[in-house]
Amino acid sequence: MGKAGPGRVLNEDSINEKRRIMAKFVDWLKNLNYTLLHGDPAALDVQELVFDSRKAVEGTVFNAMKGANVDAHRFIPAVLAQGCKALVVEEDPAEFGLDPSKLPEDVVLIRVENARVSLAELSAARFGYPSKEMTIIGITGTKGKTTTAHMIQQILEDAGLKAGCIGTTGVEYGDVHIPTKNTTPESYDLQKYFRTMRDAGCDYVVMEASSQAFKLHRVDAITFDYGIFTNIEPDHIGPHEHADFEEYKYYKSCIFKQSRVGIINRDADYAEELIAGAPCKMFTYAIDRPADFMAENIEHVNRPDFVGICFDVTGHAELDIQMDLPGKYNVYNAMAAIAVLSLMGIPHRAIIHAFRRVHVDGRTQIVFKNETMSVLVDYAHNEMAMENLLSTLRELKPGRLVVVFGCGGNRAKDRRYGMGKAAAQFADFSILTADNSRDEETSDIIADIKSTLVPAGGRYVEIPDRRAAIEYAMTHAEKGDMIAVIGKGHEDYQEVKGVRTHFLDREVILETAKKYHL
């Protein structure tokens, strides 16, 4: 069974990279559209690809990109002085003061239309196109990517198959866990992880494909054997993200352009539009609308020994599913997993057996339970996710539904307003606290949350210290309380003023239970 927990943690730089072998530069260019400005790629030996000018030395290919703050083209003179002889540029050389005719004979200069596209194509070539040696399952959508990815990975491994996972919680395969900064890593890192996984024996990779990954070409040079679309709601719209919802939707839809088989939640908004525009073969799953895979007879269960959900699958597969991840949205996540696993030919008995043990770190995760309370953690960090979670927990009929939450700093304020409204509508009591305040003051973020929570009649208390907030919730619990500590899920840090300190909600919950003998 695959692990959702951290396992053996590796730093990215500690990976034993393989295939660092000498190749002709021209061999790396075979899938790239480019204009040759100087030199002979067939005569130049290369062994590594870099996009950090400080690492550009002899034997490397330097891919110069224009970032949000720095244009790497201005470092070309330094790169040449360091001995690098293979240059890939996006700008006209005249723009950064370079005359190709004056370059040494053994230097190769090529120009591409988009340096992010070239980085992806060259990265795939540098690592020997590892994605072609495995079955690649890509998952996009506003919500559900992480849970669905871990469900699929764990069920594949439970069926005796070796699978890796790449996403919000990092890179995981076997007992290895590699922390990552982005939901979908940069294209070079992605291809490196593919190669490492393949060399470790993985035949399958399940990965989250964010809208930013499509926009920034991180997943170029990859064909998904199966592409899953979970749902879509307005999110990630703002500076340095997406200009508007139409752009966001467009980049989400790109998964079907890169998939052999597409799988979509037919109950999701815009599903019919996306199905009609998809160039690949499509399958659907749903609860409410007719689909290839249907979930029926959904039952929410809240017993002393089990909190979760049971349902039947009909259509292309006939299964009875029980899992300890409560909520209608987790039925959708499970249906996405069931659809792809069924299409892949995984035996139904293996799927049923594995679902009884599926566990996703920080996603609707029951951490502590006694006769008085149930305490769970979840990653819900915007209005849509919070509404889905709290409305689900309402269906379990708790005595009181208490939510402990804050909102991240340096992010769109609409999230705060939306979470305040959701708390007022669905929770009996809110404890407002810190959640990665970053460069903002926690008190200012709480004030923004209160601006929608208070007018809507929400009951609350402010406890800016997150540990103290969790302790308050648990030590003031009333019989039948369900306490949801949300916003951070699997995250193991608090970020304040550029400094990260260790903080993991589930650890604090268990420490509180022990400290107060709960």
Side-chain angles (χ1 to χ4, degrees), residues 91-109:
E91 292 183 358
D92 182 340
E95 294 294 324
F96 52 92
L98 185 68
D99 183 350
S101 68
K102 295 181 179 179
L103 288 172
E105 185 177 343
D106 59 351
V107 170
V108 178
L109 176 66

Side-chain angles (χ1 to χ4, degrees), residues 198-370:
R198 182 59 187 145
D199 289 346
C202 291
D203 293 307
Y204 301 85
V205 174
V206 191
M207 62 171 288
E208 300 179 46
S210 67
S211 56
Q212 285 288 302
F214 289 105
K215 181 177 180 177
L216 299 178
H217 301 281
R218 293 174 187 159
V219 292
D220 280 27
I222 300 170
T223 298
F224 299 108
D225 294 282
Y226 300 91
I228 300 172
F229 191 105
T230 60
N231 51 58
I232 188 165
E233 293 286 344
D235 199 10
H236 300 290
I237 297 168
H240 309 303
E241 294 189 280
H242 294 288
D244 52 34
F245 179 73
E246 284 303 312
E247 181 185 288
Y248 178 57
K249 182 176 67 171
Y250 167 75
Y251 284 112
K252 286 291 188 188
S253 73
C254 286
I255 193 167
F256 296 134
K257 297 178 183 179
Q258 290 179 226
S259 297
R260 291 188 173 91
V261 175
I263 299 168
I264 190 169
N265 172 7
R266 197 162 200 166
D267 289 341
D269 291 343
Y270 306 99
E272 299 307 316
E273 172 189 328
L274 295 170
I275 292 169
C280 61
K281 185 174 183 179
M282 294 292 292
F283 290 89
T284 58
Y285 64 93
I287 296 174
D288 300 322
R289 296 178 184 172
D292 297 312
F293 296 85
M294 294 288 299
E296 299 178 347
N297 304 320
I298 298 170
E299 180 185 0
H300 303 276
V301 182
N302 184 8
R303 301 192 306 257
D305 62 328
F306 176 73
V307 177
I309 203 160
C310 303
F311 62 96
D312 298 329
V313 181
T314 61
H316 278 40
E318 304 285 335
L319 302 90
D320 299 322
I321 299 295
Q322 175 181 306
M323 61 180 183
D324 64 0
L325 291 167
K328 186 176 181 179
Y329 57 91
N330 276 322
V331 175
Y332 281 117
N333 296 333
M335 289 299 293
I338 290 165
V340 71
L341 291 163
S342 295
L343 293 171
M344 290 168 60
I346 303 302
H348 289 172
R349 64 182 180 277
I351 297 173
I352 293 169
H353 179 263
F355 262 113
R356 291 175 180 167
R357 300 195 290 165
V358 162
H359 163 76
V360 183
D361 189 19
R363 271 42 177 199
T364 330
Q365 181 182 5
I366 303 293
V367 177
F368 177 76
K369 187 175 178 66
N370 65 13

Side-chain angles (χ1 to χ4, degrees), residues 59-118:
T60 67
V61 177
F62 178 58
N63 190 86
M65 297 192 296
K66 293 187 288 187
N69 301 311
V70 177
D71 185 347
H73 292 81
R74 67 187 179 92
F75 300 115
I76 294 290
V79 165
L80 289 168
Q82 290 162 198
C84 181
K85 294 180 171 57
L87 308 175
V88 181
V89 299
E90 181 179 311
E91 292 183 358
D92 182 340
E95 294 294 324
F96 52 92
L98 185 68
D99 183 350
S101 68
K102 295 181 179 179
L103 288 172
E105 185 177 343
D106 59 351
V107 170
V108 178
L109 176 66
I110 68 170
R111 187 180 181 188
V112 296
E113 183 175 337
N114 188 314
R116 285 197 163 274
V117 173
S118 63

Side-chain angles (χ1 to χ4, degrees), residues 120-153:
E121 293 290 352
L122 292 170
S123 296
R126 182 260 180 263
F127 288 103
Y129 302 96
S131 67
K132 294 182 179 181
E133 301 173 25
M134 299 178 286
T135 297
I136 309 294
I137 303 162
I139 306 170
T140 198
T142 306
K143 296 298 169 191
K145 297 186 295 296
T146 302
T147 300
T148 303
H150 280 280
M151 284 178 171
I152 295 169
Q153 183 206 19

